[in-house]
Amino acid sequence: MKKKHCFITWILTGCLILGGLTGCSNDKQTSTDSSGNSPQSTQAAESMTGHNENEDSNLGAWGRAMGAVLISINDGNPYYFGGYEATDANKKAARNILKSSWNISSRKDLLKQIRFLQNTGSRKNYRREAKDLKALSAGERKKALNQVSGALKTHYNNLQYISDTWGKKGLLAWDLCRISHLAQWGYIADYINLDEAQAVLEPSASRLRKSFDNWDDIVNNWLDGYAYSSAIEIRSIEKTDYTSRQEIYQKLLSEQKDTDPLFDNKLFEEDIIPLGTVSYDSLMEEIKTTPKAKKKQNKASEKKMSQGKDSEEKTQ
């Protein structure tokens, strides 16, 4: 009973700082370099042939689908792993994007952020809040939510919707698909090579395959996570960035060819095929910490990692 009282008080007094939640800041982050330029569009680049992936594995196909909507938003080619040509100009732009949006400025930073998304991500806060909200009776919940407004009310409405719709799987695709965004940006930034960018996707692709049955569910879960993290009302009748992303997904889906689908549901019927050259585990060995060092890691550093926006906003 004490826990319920505390949670009700927490909502009624408005003590939740939205800016401290994962991605809940309303500040717009643009995917541009210091000169105001985003990585150059690659849709018509003659040198961009094929899928730019290791064909001995299916991780490239998983990665392209996982990151397709965001790559498309930012004028990249979702069929080409990396989205952009690996030019010096795009390398500079990608490094500036990773620095400004994720505070990533090295290979080590990139791998640490990917590990965080794989193991923790936004799911930790979501599950804690969903558990507390579920502990309230319907009457207590209604009373509490009637006392808040604006972004705080949107946050809890989204929390309720995601909890009812996805349960423990809430925000799972949101976290794991962002690994694809980081892997592809990291490749263009030259922090990891092409095989490493695909290998780092192995556990996220494997978990998505086990947790979902098709790309519609994965994209919808990712979209709901985006709304939750951006304080956008999921059930709003207004046109928002959330609905724009839905439309982009539907457009990509309608335009894909049967002979070369971007969102290939057959991937869910196949085992994940790892690369023989490098693995997620071998990459994580580079940033392995001792138990003593791990104990020293405080909540502030975890919070800092959880707030990356990975150029979720459209480039200008």
Side-chain angles (χ1 to χ4, degrees), residues 10-285:
W10 187 33
I11 298 178
L12 294 181
T13 57
C15 288
L16 176 64
I17 307 300
L18 282 179
L21 290 173
T22 306
C24 281
S25 169
N26 287 322
D27 294 336
K28 295 295 182 182
Q29 294 288 331
T30 57
S31 305
T32 58
D33 64 19
S34 57
S35 65
N37 296 317
S38 65
Q40 298 301 302
S41 173
T42 56
Q43 298 284 2
E46 292 182 4
S47 61
M48 294 182 64
T49 58
H51 295 311
N52 194 39
E53 63 192 38
N54 189 320
E55 295 183 359
D56 293 331
S57 170
N58 54 8
L59 288 171
W62 274 97
R64 287 187 290 107
M66 288 162 66
V69 175
L70 187 62
I71 291 293
S72 296
I73 287 170
N74 288 292
D75 296 325
N77 182 348
Y79 283 85
Y80 188 85
F81 190 89
Y84 311 88
E85 289 184 282
T87 64
D88 287 341
N90 284 343
K91 173 182 173 179
K92 180 181 178 182
R95 289 195 173 198
N96 279 300
I97 289 164
L98 290 171
K99 177 62 178 176
S100 63
S101 295
W102 286 90
N103 200 32
I104 290 172
S105 56
S106 68
R107 175 184 175 90
K108 185 177 181 180
D109 290 342
L110 179 71
L111 294 177
K112 280 186 174 182
Q113 183 65 67
I114 287 172
R115 182 178 65 184
F116 174 78
L117 289 174
Q118 181 65 45
N119 297 337
T120 306
S122 303
R123 306 187 299 283
K124 182 178 180 180
N125 284 338
Y126 157 72
R127 288 172 181 170
R128 173 180 54 78
E129 288 193 281
K131 182 179 179 181
D132 289 349
L133 191 64
K134 196 171 184 180
L136 300 175
S137 69
E140 290 170 330
R141 191 180 307 158
K142 183 177 180 180
K143 179 181 177 182
L145 293 179
N146 281 340
Q147 303 302 312
V148 295
S149 60
L152 191 60
K153 189 175 186 67
T154 296
H155 174 75
Y156 280 106
N157 283 338
N158 286 347
L159 175 67
Q160 182 68 69
Y161 175 85
I162 293 171
S163 180
D164 290 343
T165 304
W166 300 107
K168 291 183 178 180
K169 291 195 292 187
L171 276 70
L172 180 60
W174 165 246
D175 283 332
L176 300 185
C177 285
R178 297 175 95 192
I179 293 175
S180 174
H181 304 157
L182 286 180
Q184 294 187 74
W185 283 118
Y187 160 61
I188 297 301
D190 199 28
Y191 288 141
I192 51 179
N193 65 36
L194 186 58
D195 274 5
E196 289 170 336
Q198 293 164 83
V200 82
L201 297 170
E202 184 178 347
S204 53
S206 179
R207 190 163 184 186
L208 288 173
R209 177 179 171 273
K210 291 176 181 177
S211 302
F212 300 95
D213 297 322
N214 53 68
W215 285 107
D216 280 352
D217 286 348
I218 287 177
V219 173
N220 285 329
N221 187 284
W222 174 74
L223 284 166
D224 289 347
Y226 169 73
Y228 173 88
S229 299
S230 304
I232 297 173
E233 184 73 51
I234 293 175
R235 288 172 287 191
S236 172
I237 61 173
E238 304 294 330
K239 184 174 177 62
T240 63
D241 284 346
Y242 176 88
T243 57
S244 294
R245 281 162 166 73
Q246 284 181 317
E247 291 169 2
I248 289 169
Y249 170 61
Q250 291 300 326
K251 184 174 186 292
L252 289 171
L253 203 61
S254 66
E255 292 177 349
Q256 69 179 10
K257 299 177 181 178
D258 292 339
T259 55
D260 185 24
L262 178 58
F263 299 100
D264 188 359
N265 282 328
K266 289 182 180 178
L267 288 170
F268 296 88
E269 302 170 10
E270 305 171 355
D271 291 335
I272 299 295
I273 304 172
L275 280 76
T277 54
V278 64
S279 69
Y280 175 88
D281 289 340
S282 66
L283 289 167
M284 292 303 119
E285 280 292 321

